[in-house]
Amino acid sequence: MSRISTSFKDVTKKTSYFITTPIFYVNASPHIGHLYSALIADASARFQKLLNPSLNIIFSTGTDEHGLKVQKAAENCKISVKNYCTKISSSYQTTFDKFDISHTSFIRTTAENHKNCVHYFWSKLQPHIRKGKYSGWYCTADETFLSQDQIELVNNVRVSKESGRQVEWAEEDNYKFDLRPFKHDLQCWLSKPDRIKPKVFHEILNREVNDLYDISLSRPKSRVSWGIPVPRDDTQTVYVWLDALVNYLTVSGYPDSKIWPPNVQVCGKDILKFHGILWPIFLIAAGLELPKQIFVHSHWKVNDEKMSKTKGNVVDPINAGCQYTESGLRYFLLREGTAHSDGNYSDLKIKRILNAELADTLGNLLNRCCGKAINPNLSYPKLDLLQIERLLADSYFIELSKKLEVLADIVGSHYEELNFYKGIDEIIATLQCCNRFFEYNKPWELAKQDVNKLKCILHITMETLRISGLALQPIVPVLADQLLNKLNINNRDWNQMTPTWKDENRIVNPTNLKKDNIVLFKKLLIN
């Protein structure tokens, strides 16, 4: 029978799984960092669905379209702000479609239903909002006021410690919200160890809680006209971050939502403060439940340098997908991306990993099983328990069998924690083990000497490919689908990840493989 780890058995008790990405700011086109955020959420949603096919998945993403930076970007492009937003938002939708991001909702903050949601949420915050003069250091590039502790002098210029961007002193009339009264409630929420993951970001937030202050919830319309008007005061527009964060409520159907709160909210480390401090405080003030978990990921460097338009090293996912295939880029980003530290994108690294793991370890193993010399009828042979008993003295088989027996548990536990790179590592280690087993048993010789044993070797190898294909579905759904189609596998749920010789209740009849000559992953040339 299947062995689902106790750490994620409770999925059968869930009726829905609600996961979000941040909404992406339309002052520039999408890059691989945006795609990575979406891939984390996509792989998680796909995994949860494999665990429980009847689960209702709510997976939201979208674009953040208000604020001064958007105004200026549209001006630079010499088109209307509305048309500019539509153009960039469409580029995100195109990118996510291209990479099989299975979102159930793509929200734009310029939509009317979002504007209505922001106005309703503002009314819930109203008892905590007061109008007055706000003064402080303002960063136009980040569209936020900063406290004295959040700025520093660099070459006699005051800049934000966090972003390094220049600040200037500003005084204006707007609406203010005091974060300090909510400190205790915020600390209680943060007291649960797995509330913010990974742990390093939980520790950062715990320090930030001690530095709460008054924030400005609006901007004068004379300065920031492209925004949602403050209810009953059209001289002010809603602070772009309040507007943006409310998108999660809009997606849920607030105020009539029955699916709140989200199970997981994915965000990059640069916007941790907004998601880990401002957002929960706003929700507390409005009398709403808080997210169950915020998962924070690090950034992507390119050849060990920070991505920037100035350096000209921003990687366009569409171009990279053309170069490495969409499955290849998905695989690389989830394989090499780690939440706790920045990933490094390099052409040589991508080619080496994809060639070694997708082309050689996985693809070549399938090709060898389909070779005319050892499998002329392209069959997936029936399990022969007598032949399995003969292999109990084979150390290569024993090692492989042990890996396959626990693969669902180990990979599932890593996927549940959104540590996809660890899950992939286990899958590849199992496939490498199978390659050693296949090589050791020399099926090309068995074809002449021992056909029954050959069939058993083929069955074990194809079982390894089948189980690996099931486990890879959240990572590379198109490639996994091609593999499982080739093997004629119809039942693809997570509970099918037990090898036949370890599952007394599973009867597998011999079948034929699909006769199409697929190449799972074409080897990339390295210059």
Side-chain angles (χ1 to χ4, degrees):
M1 56 185 292
S2 65
R3 296 167 50 88
I4 298 297
S5 170
T6 54
S7 66
F8 49 93
K9 264 185 179 177
D10 68 343
V11 71
T12 55
K13 300 173 186 176
K14 298 176 188 173
T15 57
S16 64
Y17 182 71
F18 186 4
I19 188 166
T20 70
T21 75
I23 52 173
F24 305 106
Y25 208 36
V26 295
N27 64 322
S29 298
H31 57 64
I32 55 167
H34 303 128
L35 176 61
Y36 180 57
S37 287
L39 286 174
I40 292 170
D42 180 66
S44 180
R46 288 177 182 275
F47 170 62
Q48 295 294 329
K49 192 72 172 177
L50 287 171
L51 284 177
N52 183 1
S54 64
L55 200 63
N56 179 33
I57 299 291
I58 303 98
F59 166 19
S60 72
T61 189
T63 45
D64 178 5
E65 302 181 22
H66 289 131
L68 195 57
K69 283 192 282 188
V70 176
Q71 278 180 230
K72 291 183 175 180
E75 287 169 11
N76 291 338
C77 291
K78 294 181 173 58
I79 59 175
S80 72
V81 190
K82 185 178 179 181
N83 288 343
Y84 172 82
C85 288
T86 297
K87 176 185 174 185
I88 303 298
S89 183
S90 296
S91 72
Y92 277 92
Q93 293 184 60
T94 299
T95 298
F96 292 165
D97 288 347
K98 193 83 172 167
F99 285 89
D100 297 290
I101 304 300
S102 57
H103 56 79
T104 60
S105 180
F106 189 99
I107 183 171
R108 296 182 59 187
T109 57
T110 47
E112 193 65 23
N113 68 326
H114 177 67
K115 175 184 172 181
N116 294 337
C117 189
V118 170
H119 279 177
Y120 187 89
F121 191 69
W122 182 282
S123 72
K124 291 297 179 182
L125 297 182
Q126 194 75 58
H128 309 283
I129 297 172
R130 66 189 189 281
K131 193 171 185 181
K133 188 167 287 294
Y134 195 96
S135 59
W137 295 105
Y138 187 74
C139 180
T140 301
D142 296 330
E143 299 194 33
T144 188
F145 279 98
L146 300 168
S147 68
Q148 188 66 44
D149 293 337
Q150 293 174 301
I151 65 170
E152 62 185 349
L153 271 177
V154 177
N155 299 325
N156 291 321
V157 176
R158 286 184 175 84
V159 299
S160 162
K161 285 182 180 178
E162 188 173 345
S163 69
R165 293 165 175 152
Q166 189 172 346
V167 300
E168 58 187 2
W169 187 258
E171 292 186 6
E172 59 190 31
D173 289 325
N174 54 30
Y175 291 92
K176 297 190 284 186
F177 182 101
D178 190 354
L179 301 172
R180 286 163 291 202
F182 302 95
K183 179 177 178 179
H184 177 71
D185 288 336
L186 180 61
Q187 286 175 323
C188 288
W189 178 70
L190 285 171
S191 65
K192 190 172 180 180
D194 60 353
R195 191 68 77 195
I196 309 292
K197 286 196 159 185
K199 186 179 177 182
V200 61
F201 296 118
H202 201 147
E203 293 166 354
I204 290 170
L205 266 192
N206 280 331
R207 292 193 294 271
E208 291 267 359
V209 172
N210 296 317
D211 188 30
L212 300 181
Y213 50 92
D214 254 5
I215 64 165
S216 167
L217 279 194
S218 69
R219 301 287 183 265
K221 192 172 182 179
S222 58
R223 186 157 64 82
V224 185
S225 61
W226 185 246
I228 295 175
V230 167
R232 296 173 298 283
D233 187 350
D234 60 8
T235 68
Q236 298 273 320
T237 53
V238 175
Y239 174 39
V240 68
W241 265 107
L242 175 59
D243 165 7
L245 289 165
V246 172
N247 96 84
Y248 306 123
L249 287 169
T250 304
V251 166
S252 78
Y254 178 77
D256 303 318
S257 172
K258 293 184 175 67
I259 59 169
W260 192 261
N263 296 81
V264 181
Q265 297 210 258
V266 177
C267 73
K269 65 180 182 180
D270 56 323
I271 53 175
L272 170 60
K273 179 182 73 174
F274 300 101
H275 284 79
I277 292 182
L278 296 191
W279 182 223
I281 285 178
F282 291 154
L283 291 170
I284 293 165
L288 293 171
E289 286 187 74
L290 275 58
K292 295 175 183 177
Q293 183 182 107
I294 293 177
F295 183 83
V296 189
H297 66 78
S298 295
H299 293 163
W300 281 91
K301 294 180 178 179
V302 177
N303 296 319
D304 291 313
E305 289 190 331
K306 184 178 178 179
M307 267 197 295
S308 75
K309 285 186 281 187
T310 307
K311 291 178 181 175
N313 65 349
V314 177
V315 180
D316 174 8
I318 298 291
N319 291 340
C322 290
Q323 190 173 1
Y324 303 116
T325 76
E326 286 77 18
S327 289
L329 188 58
R330 275 187 70 115
Y331 182 84
F332 174 78
L333 293 177
L334 289 169
R335 174 74 164 113
E336 287 297 296
T338 59
H340 56 274
S341 60
D342 290 346
N344 185 43
Y345 181 101
S346 83
D347 290 325
L348 182 59
K349 189 178 186 181
I350 295 171
K351 289 175 181 177
R352 284 177 172 169
I353 287 174
L354 297 184
N355 282 347
E357 297 181 3
L358 292 188
D360 292 343
T361 302
L362 175 62
N364 194 45
L365 185 62
L366 176 64
N367 292 340
R368 295 175 87 179
C369 286
C370 300
K372 287 184 179 179
I374 64 170
N375 196 355
N377 298 321
L378 280 181
S379 67
Y380 192 139
K382 184 179 178 180
L383 173 68
D384 187 337
L385 287 173
L386 290 176
Q387 292 298 325
I388 292 287
E389 286 180 16
R390 285 178 63 189
L391 290 171
L392 293 179
D394 181 342
S395 62
Y396 289 94
F397 172 70
I398 292 169
E399 181 188 9
L400 176 59
S401 183
K402 285 179 179 177
K403 281 185 176 297
L404 289 171
E405 189 178 356
V406 298
L407 196 67
D409 283 6
I410 295 174
V411 175
S413 294
H414 290 318
Y415 284 4
E416 182 73 17
E417 297 295 313
L418 277 67
N419 289 324
F420 297 105
Y421 69 101
K422 290 183 177 180
I424 296 169
D425 198 49
E426 291 293 335
I427 297 166
I428 293 301
T430 302
L431 286 165
Q432 289 169 340
C433 184
C434 187
N435 272 285
R436 292 192 295 271
F437 162 78
F438 191 88
E439 192 74 24
Y440 172 75
N441 280 284
K442 300 178 181 177
W444 51 92
E445 292 183 4
L446 292 176
K448 303 170 187 174
Q449 302 166 0
D450 192 338
V451 174
N452 288 331
K453 186 176 181 181
L454 169 64
K455 288 180 179 179
C456 185
I457 301 303
L458 287 174
H459 178 87
I460 291 165
T461 304
M462 289 180 190
E463 274 292 277
T464 304
L465 286 165
R466 178 186 69 83
I467 292 166
S468 298
L470 294 176
L472 283 169
Q473 288 177 102
I475 310 300
V476 279
V478 171
L479 190 147
D481 185 61
Q482 290 173 338
L483 170 60
L484 296 170
N485 284 345
K486 178 70 177 178
L487 296 174
N488 250 328
I489 304 301
N490 295 318
N491 196 331
R492 301 180 181 188
D493 299 339
W494 200 260
N495 62 10
Q496 295 296 307
M497 282 181 59
T498 307
T500 49
W501 57 92
K502 291 292 181 180
D503 188 350
E504 296 175 359
N505 300 317
R506 187 157 176 257
I507 300 172
V508 176
N509 295 316
T511 185
N512 290 324
L513 306 184
K514 290 280 176 68
K515 296 191 182 298
D516 52 334
N517 295 317
I518 66 161
V519 177
L520 276 184
F521 194 86
K522 189 176 180 181
K523 203 151 186 174
L524 299 164
L525 293 174
I526 297 179
N527 297 330

